[in-house]
Amino acid sequence: MGILVTKRRELVGRGEARWRGGTLMAPPERAVATLGLILRGNCHFPVTPYSTTGRGFYLALALDSLLPNYGLWAAACSADGAFGQGQIYYLSTATEGRLFQALNARDQTAIAMSQTRIDWVEVADAVDRFLVFLLAAMDATARVVYEIVQPDKMRPRDAKWQVSDFIKALRPSHPSLAALFAKGSPGHDVHLILRQLRNTIHAGGLAKTHVLVEDEGLEHNLSVPLDEVEDLAEAVLRRTRGNPTDWGLRLTDERAWVQPIILVDALTREGFATLDAIFERTPLEALIALSSDAEDEVDGTDEVDDSDRSEWSLMERMLATRGSDMYLWHFGMHSDQIATSG
């Protein structure tokens, strides 16, 4: 297909991509997002105009742009791997891996939906994996907080953002972190929506359905009975200010109808905003002190293997542009969308 990159309003309206015959007419942000998806779908990962790398390295750089507070959080957790017990480091690397998987599943949802003949088994599989891994990343951050704070009379298995006793245990010493998941807050609602949609895999799941939309003809969606996601509607209405279609959802008396790409993109934006707020508010002082104390005792003259130099040099140059438009645009997101969740 051809892509015409233009800002002319008569061609792209208010910034929406539009088809004209076999050509996609799109403003720069949409065009870059489309090209980024095509490149990643073909296992091509550009990091500069003249350099490409592997998927893992590319996603590591992307996380630094999508999650401005992730880098410090991950570095502090790494100190536990080098100088502590190692459990916090293990949980932080699991968080990174799950975020990679969530971003991969987001791409796979869009690719599956872009086929001439949509395979709904692939669509449902990609959406399920997206929900599973994004929620798993959030769950792992709760365990990191538990290991750092060590709340009295609480088991690790109860360290979950939806457990009220865990939030209550954090409130006296870390009120801003606890407030992220206060009932009705953005973090609480996003976590609830992710959790309830993820839990549909234990019942009927997100099923392929067709719905006749007034004045719009037949629309192909996934759907789930509302009684399987009983608190979903209230949380969605709060987050969308009464317009669930902004998140690709239509709510009837019996079912929630899901437009996969729109929903996955909304949960990516909102979920990453919540995660970044968690990273920012996690108490890292003890881990940073652990690293600082150890550095005082170590001579910093370790040699770097020559085979690693070129990749780490590239990493250093890329990190110097953290927050740059390249990775945000490639993933179809922008800095005003990835903002701290209040």
Side-chain angles (χ1 to χ4, degrees):
M1 72 179 183
I3 300 179
L4 174 64
V5 184
T6 178
K7 290 186 175 182
R8 293 178 63 182
R9 287 184 64 109
E10 58 267 33
L11 295 178
V12 295
R14 297 181 179 179
E16 298 295 326
R18 295 178 176 178
W19 286 100
R20 293 290 186 273
T23 300
L24 179 69
M25 299 186 180
E29 297 90 340
R30 292 298 185 95
V32 172
T34 301
L35 290 169
L37 178 63
I38 292 170
L39 290 168
R40 295 193 301 277
N42 286 282
C43 297
H44 187 77
F45 305 97
V47 289
T48 74
Y50 307 104
S51 303
T52 61
T53 187
R55 183 187 298 272
F57 190 69
Y58 177 89
L59 289 173
L61 294 170
L63 281 191
D64 199 70
S65 287
L66 298 169
L67 297 162
N69 292 291
Y70 171 75
L72 178 59
W73 181 87
C77 291
S78 294
D80 176 67
F83 313 114
Q85 300 298 313
Q87 178 67 2
I88 293 172
Y89 172 65
Y90 165 76
L91 290 165
S92 71
T93 57
T95 301
E96 179 185 65
R98 290 161 185 169
L99 289 172
F100 287 178
Q101 293 278 36
L103 289 174
N104 287 336
R106 176 178 179 261
D107 281 354
Q108 289 154 7
T109 300
I111 291 169
M113 288 291 294
S114 72
Q115 304 305 309
T116 303
R117 298 184 65 180
I118 296 174
D119 184 335
W120 285 92
V121 172
E122 288 190 9
V123 174
D125 175 68
V127 173
D128 277 341
R129 283 185 290 110
F130 170 81
L131 297 169
V132 165
F133 285 114
L134 185 55
L135 185 62
M138 285 194 182
D139 290 346
T141 63
R143 284 292 305 277
V144 169
V145 170
Y146 171 86
E147 295 294 337
I148 294 173
V149 177
Q150 293 288 318
D152 292 335
K153 300 178 182 179
M154 182 163 289
R155 299 169 300 177
R157 70 177 68 176
D158 296 323
K160 299 176 181 177
W161 297 121
Q162 71 269 28
V163 174
S164 58
D165 286 345
F166 180 56
I167 302 302
K168 287 178 183 177
L170 296 177
R171 192 168 291 129
S173 56
H174 306 290
S176 66
L177 185 57
L180 280 177
F181 294 94
K183 189 172 183 179
S185 68
H188 168 273
D189 286 345
V190 170
H191 191 267
L192 183 150
I193 293 165
L194 276 170
R195 191 170 71 252
Q196 293 218 333
L197 288 173
R198 189 282 309 268
N199 287 346
T200 62
I201 64 177
H202 300 302
L206 293 168
K208 169 193 173 183
T209 52
H210 310 286
V211 58
L212 185 62
V213 181
E214 185 178 356
D215 299 328
E216 296 180 28
L218 191 65
E219 190 173 88
H220 305 283
N221 289 326
L222 300 174
S223 78
V224 62
L226 273 184
D227 59 8
E228 289 188 26
V229 287
E230 52 189 53
D231 298 323
L232 179 79
E234 184 180 345
V236 167
L237 289 171
R238 275 198 298 266
R239 293 281 61 78
T240 62
R241 295 179 175 84
N243 294 299
T245 54
D246 290 347
W247 279 32
L249 290 164
R250 295 181 188 272
L251 305 175
T252 65
D253 292 338
E254 297 182 353
R255 301 186 77 84
W257 310 85
V258 178
Q259 291 180 294
I261 294 176
I262 301 175
L263 176 67
V264 166
D265 275 358
L267 289 174
T268 300
R269 293 191 301 269
E270 296 282 331
F272 271 54
T274 300
L275 279 162
D276 200 51
I278 294 170
F279 296 144
E280 181 183 23
R281 302 182 194 190
T282 297
L284 301 172
E285 295 81 4
L287 296 178
I288 294 172
L290 185 67
S291 177
S292 298
D293 292 344
E295 285 176 0
D296 291 341
E297 301 174 8
V298 176
D299 180 13
T301 59
D302 293 343
E303 290 291 329
V304 178
D305 190 287
D306 287 341
S307 62
D308 294 333
R309 285 185 186 279
S310 59
E311 189 167 86
W312 280 107
S313 176
L314 178 61
M315 171 73 94
E316 289 172 0
R317 295 204 309 274
M318 291 299 100
L319 291 181
T321 65
R322 66 173 44 175
S324 69
D325 285 341
M326 174 180 171
Y327 299 105
L328 296 174
W329 283 22
H330 263 218
F331 280 94
M333 291 181 277
H334 315 292
S335 57
D336 60 337
Q337 294 174 323
I338 306 300
T340 299
S341 181

